[in-house]
Amino acid sequence: MAALVVVRGPNVGARYELKDESFLIGRNPSCHLVIPSPAVSREHAEIFRRGPDEYYIKDLDSRNKTVVNGHTLDPQVPVRLRDKDEIRICDFRFQFLEGRPPKPLPEEFRPEEEDEGEETGGSTVMGRLAVKEESSYLLLQAQPADKLQMLLEISNTLSRTLEVEKLLPQVLESLFKVFRQADRAFLVMPDEHRRRWVVRARKCRREKDEETARPSRAILEECVRSGEAFLCEDASAASQFRGSESIADFLIRSVICAPLRSPDGEILGVIQLDTQDRTRLFTQEDLQLLVAVCNQAALALGNARLHEERVARERLEREMEFARQVQAVLLPTELPRLAEYEFHTFYKAARYVGGDFYTVLPLPDGRWVLAVGDVAGKGVAAALLMARMTADVRYCVLTQPAPELAMAMLNQSLHQAGLADRFVTLALGVLDTRAHRLTLVNAGHLPPILRRNSNDRIEEIASGDDIGLPIGVVTDASYTACQVSLQPGDVVYLFSDGVLDATSAGGEHFGRDRILHAIRTAPPASAAQGARHLIKLLEQHCAGNPHQHDDITLLVLGRRVTASA
């Protein structure tokens, strides 16, 4: 399989297999290959496949371009990749390696218990019957009264069972009541990845045989490949199954086999019944009855699965709601009320729980710590790391004399934790309310924006070369502190990239220009009014698109024009 290998950058030597038709490279955590650098665009480049083994790369209108073998790609123009081509994105380098698709497996159906010899051509299968849901009623009408009564009882029994693990043995138990000539019965189903088929239930007339009993792969393969139920009066003599060791080992004579099909035609499993008695053979009527039972069993199995999925979904929703409540406790419930400064926050997770976080903490010397962070990824994993970062920020700023040292300590702690492919962007600030000075350190985060009240000038803080690597990328990263003086009426906006990437119904991002416009047109000299104005414009932009893909976090700090009482 074709792959990219990291030549320069974090995780040198790491291999990324190009399994999908499209492979995105960029800063966005949803990309297949995430490059945690502010110089890299959120979706920087795409590698895609044409045909079985042709791969192309194109630059996605990135800010700093994509280079292949020293040649800068034109935006949106695909270029064919060859073996050992070098791809450069900013300071990161990768090598493309061609790979041939793996040969298909010789068997499309592999029960877990058995590995048999190959089959030979020809078939002496005595009868086949297509399995269709709508045929159940006709099959029921064709059965003798006693078997019809038994079939109705089976249907009633199965319909009352809503747990899959309890349902499967009940199916075989019911079949043994109908097919008294059967010596063995098996229900085989695919695993959750549909890579192997395993026996989920088995039953033998002699209980001592159940421990060693196994179905015939050759028989099951025949059923799965054809998608039809079939009857073989003497499997040991059938050329179709010549070479099958299990048929010989277990003295299988007559056999019937039928698939369990969902309403959309998917094979959910296979039932095999066989007998070792030459005088008690299965008939075409038995095959029709088995198909009717399989149709009822497939419906019951589908209902049981839907029930289990609903129960699991409800349990997950309860757990996620609890997680949301726990996460809400980790965020500040009240903001400090200071004579000369005011704070305002907004937080909205893309899912039940999110990876964004913010905090406002007092220091013993009267200064205040401000932080807005964004954990790579979303959902539970990001939320757990967010909980850790909330505690770590508090510890590091209390134990380190300067914010840049606290950031370095945070970085080392996260990197040593060994959380592969997890990193955090963080804007960390320390506010000195006496000197009216804000010190900011930026670890791969969007630069905070300052609006001056005296002249409405817009400034980025801790931007450009002052932006350090995200936390957790390398162990020895160093960071730079930037200081700004805050005059009466000045307002500082810290936000996560969820604000930048908030999407309209038409798929257009809110973007940096709209953020600057919102800050520039906000009521002056007020953190609360400035934050509300930005959020109002953001919500208007996103109207009609309730499904945002990233958490949205905003922390606004403002120095009052006149001190409050």
Side-chain angles (χ1 to χ4, degrees), residues 468-487:
L469 286 174
I471 296 173
V473 175
V474 296
T475 188
D476 56 351
S478 60
Y479 298 92
T480 302
C482 301
Q483 291 186 348
V484 293
S485 296
L486 297 179
Q487 305 300 320

Side-chain angles (χ1 to χ4, degrees), residues 5-78:
V5 176
V6 179
V7 176
R8 180 179 177 183
N11 302 322
V12 171
R15 181 184 179 94
Y16 296 84
E17 292 187 344
L18 306 178
K19 299 178 181 179
D20 300 324
E21 295 292 327
S22 174
F23 185 90
L24 289 175
I25 305 171
R27 179 168 51 87
N28 194 326
S30 64
C31 289
H32 298 83
L33 197 166
V34 179
I35 304 178
S37 171
V40 177
S41 299
R42 290 187 61 81
E43 291 186 353
H44 197 104
E46 177 189 14
I47 295 176
F48 57 97
R49 185 169 60 206
R50 285 181 180 172
D53 55 5
E54 290 186 6
Y55 289 85
Y56 290 78
I57 185 171
K58 67 178 177 181
D59 182 86
L60 301 178
D61 290 310
S62 66
R63 184 172 66 252
N64 292 319
K65 308 302 181 182
T66 303
V67 179
V68 177
N69 297 332
H71 173 71
T72 301
L73 301 186
D74 293 327
Q76 301 293 343
V77 178

Side-chain angles (χ1 to χ4, degrees), residues 237-525:
S239 60
Q240 182 77 7
F241 306 128
R242 189 174 301 150
S244 173
E245 295 178 2
S246 61
I247 291 177
D249 290 346
F250 293 102
L251 303 176
I252 297 175
R253 300 304 178 190
S254 186
V255 61
I256 50 176
C257 191
L260 282 72
R261 285 188 176 275
S262 68
D264 60 2
E266 177 189 4
I267 295 182
L268 305 175
V270 176
I271 291 179
Q272 173 191 322
L273 280 80
D274 58 59
T275 177
Q276 298 169 330
D277 190 340
R278 291 180 180 273
T279 64
R280 304 178 66 187
L281 305 180
F282 292 109
T283 65
Q284 190 69 23
E285 181 182 278
D286 293 327
L287 182 63
Q288 294 176 340
L289 182 57
L290 177 62
V291 168
V293 173
C294 284
N295 284 334
Q296 298 302 312
L299 290 174
L301 182 59
N303 291 336
R305 283 183 168 178
L306 289 175
H307 173 74
E308 290 187 349
E309 289 173 1
R310 187 186 69 182
V311 170
R313 185 168 58 251
E314 291 175 350
R315 181 172 60 249
L316 177 61
E317 289 176 354
R318 290 194 300 270
E319 292 173 352
M320 294 302 292
E321 174 59 25
F322 178 72
R324 186 194 65 78
Q325 295 172 9
V326 171
Q327 189 175 52
V329 172
L330 297 175
L331 298 173
T333 54
E334 291 187 5
L335 296 173
R337 298 182 180 181
L338 307 180
E340 295 187 81
Y341 287 89
E342 63 171 330
F343 301 88
H344 194 88
T345 61
F346 178 86
Y347 176 81
K348 183 179 181 181
R351 301 179 182 175
Y352 274 101
V353 290
D356 281 9
F357 65 95
Y358 68 90
T359 191
V360 181
L361 300 171
L363 290 175
D365 59 4
R367 295 180 300 163
W368 291 86
V369 173
L370 320 173
V372 171
D374 184 358
V375 176
K378 305 177 188 67
V380 174
L384 291 174
L385 187 51
M386 168 267 187
R388 169 181 173 148
M389 289 302 300
T390 303
D392 285 356
V393 167
R394 179 186 296 270
Y395 174 78
C396 292
V397 296
L398 289 174
T399 57
Q400 295 299 311
E404 63 268 27
L405 298 179
M407 188 75 85
M409 185 178 182
L410 280 166
N411 172 73
Q412 190 174 48
S413 173
L414 182 59
H415 189 269
Q416 290 176 348
L419 301 175
D421 299 327
R422 289 287 173 182
F423 59 89
V424 180
T425 67
L426 178 65
L428 178 66
V430 174
L431 173 65
D432 187 332
T433 57
R434 295 191 195 89
H436 302 296
R437 184 174 58 245
L438 177 64
T439 304
L440 272 166
V441 182
N442 191 336
H445 203 77
L446 294 173
I449 297 177
L450 165 63
R451 178 181 173 182
R452 295 290 187 183
N453 185 46
S454 60
N455 56 11
D456 283 336
R457 181 179 176 182
I458 304 297
E459 303 175 11
E460 285 190 340
I461 313 171
S463 60
D465 293 339
D466 292 326
I467 300 177
L469 286 174
I471 296 173
V473 175
V474 296
T475 188
D476 56 351
S478 60
Y479 298 92
T480 302
C482 301
Q483 291 186 348
V484 293
S485 296
L486 297 179
Q487 305 300 320
D490 288 351
V491 180
V492 180
Y493 295 78
L494 295 86
F495 46 89
S496 68
D497 61 2
V499 178
L500 189 76
D501 297 328
T503 309
S504 68
E508 185 179 3
H509 289 164
F510 191 63
R512 183 176 180 275
D513 290 344
R514 287 189 177 89
I515 293 176
L516 295 176
H517 172 75
I519 294 174
R520 189 174 289 112
T521 58

Side-chain angles (χ1 to χ4, degrees), residues 115-233:
D115 185 14
E116 300 180 350
E118 296 182 355
E119 301 172 23
T120 60
S123 174
T124 53
V125 173
M126 300 303 295
R128 293 184 182 273
L129 189 62
V131 179
K132 298 181 180 179
E133 185 179 10
E134 62 269 18
S135 65
S136 295
Y137 177 72
L138 296 176
L139 293 171
L140 284 172
Q141 285 189 319
Q143 304 306 316
D146 56 341
K147 289 190 176 182
L148 176 58
Q149 180 63 34
M150 185 67 71
L151 188 56
L152 293 175
E153 291 177 4
I154 291 173
S155 178
N156 290 333
T157 300
L158 298 182
S159 64
R160 291 194 297 267
T161 306
L162 290 177
E163 296 180 38
V164 173
E165 293 305 320
K166 292 182 179 180
L167 175 66
L168 301 182
Q170 283 188 6
V171 172
L172 299 189
E173 186 72 35
S174 300
L175 289 173
F176 261 44
K177 293 179 180 178
V178 177
F179 302 102
R180 300 190 180 278
Q181 70 271 52
D183 291 310
R184 309 186 314 155
F186 302 93
L187 201 161
V188 183
M189 298 177 64
D191 64 14
E192 59 180 345
H193 303 296
R194 297 193 70 86
R195 294 174 181 170
R196 292 184 67 85
W197 291 60
V198 296
V199 176
R200 297 289 300 276
R202 73 186 80 207
K203 186 170 181 61
C204 298
R205 290 290 177 192
R206 295 180 292 274
E207 291 186 6
K208 64 178 182 178
D209 294 340
E210 287 190 8
E211 198 169 313
T212 58
R214 64 187 186 191
S216 167
R217 186 187 69 185
I219 290 174
L220 297 176
E221 274 186 336
E222 177 67 24
C223 183
V224 170
R225 283 175 175 164
S226 67
E228 297 176 335
F230 71 88
L231 157 70
C232 185
E233 290 188 352

